[in-house]
Amino acid sequence: MMNKKKQPAVRIIYYSFSAQTASLVRALARGMEDSGVRVEKVRLVPAAPLRFPLCSIPVTVKMMLTTLFRRRIPIKPPETAGPEPDLTILAGPTWSYNPSGPVLSFIDRYGRKWLGGRTVLPLISCRGYWRMHAAGLKRLLNRCGATALAPLVVTHPAREPWRTIGVFLKIAGRTPERSRFLGKRYPRFGHSHEQMRRMEETGRRIGGELAAGRWPEDISIPPRPLP
């Protein structure tokens, strides 16, 4: 009798403030599931709800300053019902050059239990400045005993400085894409449909490697982020 081949399992732990990371996670998961991989998604939920948009420029400035100093945002205890993963993906947005407060809180409190001894692929959704985020996250993952792969990075497609201005205004509750001046330079907030398509393709590639029993040396796409 032939032994039944084990179905590869991936666990995606993620936080999404403005739904951008959640969209990337869904696209990546679809691609992996198409390749025969079992995917479990674990969303990190702040203990006190965070509202998007913040609807105030002063509140947005305050949040940017506090997150610059890696302020932790307490989260509810995460739950899992899936099998032991072959690969763990830790996904979240960049907040003021750093991992988001809920992700930092998760690593502080649950990092060793959930990530220790595992291979972790960071997935970073960001405006454009991701290198400090990636370096800091790698240090934290190593401290937890995890093996951190090079990150999968997806940047907002608009150019600077309009990208920074547009993201700031959007978080503050404005609609820069409707402005006659800014709309030409910042036509939409967040990631594009093309990026989502490519993220799904990336999921299929990763899933195909896992389903075939192969483990590529680097399953992400550094050093160039997905623009």
Side-chain angles (χ1 to χ4, degrees):
M1 181 182 293
M2 293 181 61
N3 291 329
K4 194 172 183 179
K5 189 175 180 181
K6 175 181 174 290
Q7 182 183 24
V10 171
R11 178 180 294 152
I12 306 179
I13 304 166
Y14 72 102
Y15 172 70
S16 187
F17 176 57
S18 64
Q20 297 304 306
T21 299
S23 296
L24 294 175
V25 165
R26 286 194 296 269
L28 188 67
R30 279 196 305 270
M32 290 189 289
E33 288 168 342
D34 286 348
S35 299
V37 174
R38 177 172 176 174
V39 179
E40 179 191 21
K41 297 187 285 289
V42 179
R43 183 163 190 160
L44 303 180
V45 179
L50 294 179
R51 182 177 64 180
F52 174 83
L54 297 177
C55 296
S56 165
I57 287 179
V59 171
T60 302
V61 170
K62 179 181 177 180
M63 182 177 181
M64 291 176 66
L65 291 174
T66 57
T67 55
L68 183 63
F69 294 97
R70 304 182 186 91
R71 177 187 169 225
R72 271 57 172 168
I73 304 292
I75 61 172
K76 298 179 180 179
E79 297 181 358
T80 177
E84 187 70 14
D86 299 288
L87 172 69
T88 298
I89 297 173
L90 182 60
T94 296
W95 283 6
S96 301
Y97 307 99
N98 296 299
S100 65
V103 168
L104 291 173
S105 182
F106 168 78
I107 295 174
D108 287 349
R109 190 167 181 183
Y110 304 101
R112 289 194 177 276
K113 177 182 176 181
W114 284 65
L115 307 175
R118 293 176 173 85
T119 300
V120 178
L121 171 63
L123 169 58
I124 298 174
S125 166
C126 62
R127 185 180 77 245
Y129 303 104
W130 56 272
R131 294 185 184 277
M132 185 182 296
H133 176 165
L137 189 58
K138 183 177 181 179
R139 286 194 298 270
L140 293 172
L141 291 173
N142 289 341
R143 198 177 300 164
C144 291
T147 299
L149 299 174
L152 183 60
V153 180
V154 189
T155 63
H156 288 210
R159 295 185 177 183
E160 295 293 1
W162 315 113
R163 178 166 55 188
T164 295
I165 295 170
V167 169
F168 175 83
L169 291 174
K170 195 71 176 180
I171 293 173
R174 306 300 193 268
T175 53
E177 65 274 21
R178 296 182 183 177
S179 163
R180 182 175 298 179
F181 176 76
L182 283 176
K184 296 177 182 179
R185 297 159 178 84
Y186 187 77
R188 61 170 286 154
F189 170 73
H191 302 301
S192 67
H193 297 300
E194 174 62 17
Q195 287 178 317
M196 296 302 167
R197 185 189 66 79
R198 292 171 65 187
M199 182 57 56
E200 192 167 337
E201 289 180 353
T202 300
R204 289 193 190 95
R205 179 165 60 87
I206 295 172
E209 294 290 339
L210 293 174
R214 296 190 297 269
W215 188 256
E217 291 183 4
D218 190 353
I219 60 175
S220 59
I221 53 172
R224 183 168 166 264
L226 186 64

